[in-house]
Structures are given as C-alpha cells and as structure tokens.
C-alpha cells in the first residue's frame, strides 16, 4: 500500500511539474512574440541578461511604469507633454533642465491626472528598480524616486506618465538603452523619427549618456532627407537649435526635398521655411 501511495504521489507531482513547465513556456512564447513585434527580439534570443521584456513573474519585476499617450490633448495640458519648458540642444541646457527638485515636483503634479482622460492609449512596462536606478545608464529621476520609497515600503509600486505620442512610442527604446551594457551601440529603435523624442525623455528622466549618444546620432543623421522629420519633432519638444538647423536645411534644398514631406508639415513650419529662403 505504501508503494502504491508513493507511486501515485510521484505521478501527481510529475503532472503538476509538467503543467507548470507548460505555463512558463507559454508565457515565454508570449513575451518573445511581443518583443519580436517591437523589433527587439534579439534582446531575448541573443542577450541572456535581465530585460524588462521578460515575463514579470520570471524576471521578478518589482516596479511597473504605465505610459499613456493621447493624440487629442494639447501640449500645455497633459503630463510630460509640457515638461519641455527649456530647449535641450546642448550640455549646458541639459544641466539646467535637470535640476532634480524642479523636475520631480513637476512629475508629481502631473501623475494621476491622466487616468481619467479620454482617447488615451496605455501600455505597461514591468521593470526593475536596480536597473533603472543604479549604474552608468541609470535614470536620475527613478534613482531619487526609489530611494524615497525605501522609507515608505508600503507605497504603491507604480509610476504613471502621459507623454506626447512620439515620446510614448520611444519609451521602450529608452528602457532598452538603460538595460543594455554601457558602451553598446544604439539599438535599431533609434532613428530619425524617434531621436528627438528620445533626447526629450533623456532630459526628463535624467539619463545623461542617452542624451549625449542621441545628440551625436542626430548630428550625423540630419540631412536633406531627414530635415522635415527633425523639424516637426523639434517643434513639438522646443529644441530650438535643431529646429533652426532643420529650417535652414529645408530652405536651402527646398526643391530637392520631396513635396510630400513638405506638405505634411504644420502650416506654421512650412511658412518658416518659405520665409527663411
């Protein structure tokens, strides 16, 4: 009887183990599929280190970031959409806008207000405090936030931000940068469409190395083909020097730039180009 009981117990344990393995495999496949749809599947397949793209249960995630993007809200009224109160085109401006207390106060005043807005797109990121708050690629904002939470361990472990659409789209690329080993090249998520938004995020969240790397990318990438995109994005985030450089480039090479790119600009920007010729 003992042998029979022991055998039944062993078979039940094996079935439970097989079921747990199946659930874990299913979750892993789901997160691999999510990573592949965002163009960063190599992070899971080639990099065995910790990443926010893993199943939060598997990676022992201890913080959640909720990012909201609203197409129909104005810059002046929503969350980080008006955090760009200063141009951030050079290192001196990076230092001036990254005064810790003023940025943290502004974040606090905007958190929680976006949840009731209509027409928002929301995405959650399951991250790790040690990755965001420690190391060469840390976020100074999150480092201060996490240190303050140590004295109040019972507080909620969620941060909520409402961003301009292009900044919301670039948020995952920002996280990839933080999680990647320092000295690694910029990922495929850094391009003409995302670069200005990334520099804006680097300024807001206090990631100096990202600011520097993306600024170098913009300097190399700005040309007659990309100038209209940079002009549009620079006007959103008040990057005045980049805006002026893009206008000048568009004006000089006006006849060489595709008409479709020109007419897609906001009328005031198109007028700026024409008036500068």
């Amino acid at each position: 009887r003992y042998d029979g009981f022991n055998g039944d117990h062993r078979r039940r344990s094996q079935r439970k183990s097989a079921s747990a393995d199946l659930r874990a495999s299913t979750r892993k496949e789901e997160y691999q599929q999510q990573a592949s749809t965002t163009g960063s599947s190599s992070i899971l397949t080639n990099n065995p280190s910790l990443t926010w793209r893993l199943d939060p249960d598997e990676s022992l995630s201890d913080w959640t970031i909720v990012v909201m993007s609203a197409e129909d809200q104005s810059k002046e009224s929503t969350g980080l959409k008006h955090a760009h109160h200063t141009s951030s085109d050079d290192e001196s401006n990076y230092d001036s806008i990254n005064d810790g207390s003023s940025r943290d106060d502004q974040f606090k005043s905007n958190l929680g207000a976006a949840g009731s807005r209509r027409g928002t797109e929301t995405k959650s990121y399951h991250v790790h405090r040690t990755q965001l708050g420690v190391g060469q690629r840390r976020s100074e904002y999150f480092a201060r936030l996490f240190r303050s939470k140590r004295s109040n361990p019972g507080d909620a472990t969620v941060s909520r931000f409402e961003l301009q659409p292009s900044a919301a789209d670039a948020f995952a690329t920002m996280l990839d940068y933080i999680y990647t080993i320092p000295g690694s090249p910029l990922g495929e998520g850094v391009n003409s469409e995302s670069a200005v938004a990334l520099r804006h995020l680097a300024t807001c969240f206090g990631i100096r190395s990202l600011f520097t790397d993306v600024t170098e990318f913009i300097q190399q990438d700005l040309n007659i083909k990309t100038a209209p995109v940079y002009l549009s994005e620079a006007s959103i985030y008040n990057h005045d020097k980049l805006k002026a450089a893009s206008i000048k480039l568009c004006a000089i090479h006006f006849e060489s730039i595709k008409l479709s790119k020109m007419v897609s600009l906001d009328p005031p920007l198109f007028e700026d180009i024409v008036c500068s010729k």
Side-chain angles (χ1 to χ4, degrees):
R1 285 196 301 272
Y2 175 80
D3 291 340
F5 171 79
N6 194 32
D8 290 342
H9 178 72
R10 184 163 52 251
R11 284 190 292 273
R12 285 196 298 271
S13 298
Q14 290 172 345
R15 286 195 296 270
K16 289 181 179 179
S17 177
S19 178
D21 291 343
L22 178 60
R23 288 195 299 271
S25 177
T26 301
R27 287 198 302 268
K28 184 174 181 179
E29 290 176 359
E30 290 174 351
Y31 275 80
Q32 286 178 331
Q33 183 177 8
Q34 176 186 353
S36 65
T37 58
T38 57
S40 300
S41 58
S42 60
I43 291 177
L44 287 178
T45 57
N46 297 329
N47 187 357
S49 61
L50 187 64
T51 169
W52 63 270
R53 296 180 183 273
L54 292 171
D55 181 327
D57 293 332
E58 180 181 343
S59 69
L60 302 180
S61 169
D62 56 3
W63 198 268
T64 300
I65 301 174
V66 179
V67 173
M68 289 158 281
S69 170
E71 292 279 358
D72 58 345
Q73 301 296 333
S74 65
K75 305 180 195 177
E76 291 76 19
S77 63
T78 57
L80 296 186
K81 290 186 176 183
H82 65 278
H84 48 273
H85 55 276
T86 300
S87 172
S88 56
D89 287 286
D90 55 42
E91 288 293 338
S92 61
N93 281 327
Y94 174 92
D95 291 330
S96 66
I97 197 172
N98 271 279
D99 173 77
S101 59
S102 63
R103 185 179 62 251
D104 291 353
D105 290 342
Q106 180 152 13
F107 277 14
K108 290 176 183 178
S109 68
N110 293 317
L111 295 182
S116 60
R117 300 187 186 279
R118 296 180 180 180
T120 60
E121 294 183 6
T122 304
K123 187 169 184 179
S124 297
Y125 300 91
H126 303 286
V127 297
H128 308 82
R129 282 183 278 193
T130 54
Q131 292 293 117
L132 268 63
V134 179
Q136 295 181 31
R137 293 189 169 185
R138 68 184 177 277
S139 160
E140 294 295 344
Y141 167 76
F142 281 112
R144 279 191 293 271
L145 175 64
F146 297 151
R147 283 195 293 267
S148 69
K149 292 292 183 180
R150 294 183 64 181
S151 58
N152 299 287
D155 289 352
T157 57
V158 179
S159 294
R160 293 180 175 85
F161 305 103
E162 185 170 1
L163 306 177
Q164 289 283 355
S166 57
D169 291 341
F171 197 85
T173 302
M174 183 194 77
L175 291 179
D176 286 340
Y177 180 88
I178 294 175
Y179 274 77
T180 304
I181 298 173
S184 301
L186 293 173
E188 58 189 21
V190 182
N191 50 50
S192 305
E193 288 74 21
S194 66
V196 181
L198 279 170
R199 190 164 67 169
H200 171 71
L201 291 173
T203 302
C204 289
F205 290 102
I207 312 171
R208 175 180 289 276
S209 60
L210 177 60
F211 179 90
T212 301
D213 290 346
V214 173
T215 297
E216 292 177 355
F217 172 86
I218 292 173
Q219 291 171 347
Q220 297 174 7
D221 188 56
L222 180 60
N223 54 55
I224 61 174
K225 292 183 179 180
T226 61
V229 174
Y230 281 116
L231 173 56
S232 179
E233 288 293 296
S235 67
I236 293 174
Y237 299 107
N238 290 351
H239 289 200
D240 295 334
K241 291 182 180 179
L242 178 58
K243 179 180 177 180
S246 300
I247 289 174
K248 182 178 180 180
L249 201 55
C250 288
I252 294 174
H253 301 280
F254 187 86
E255 295 180 357
S256 301
I257 298 176
K258 288 184 177 181
L259 181 61
S260 59
K261 292 186 176 181
M262 288 296 198
V263 298
S264 65
L265 294 170
D266 289 339
L269 297 179
F270 186 82
E271 183 179 354
D272 288 340
I273 294 173
V274 174
C275 292
S276 67
K277 291 188 67 176

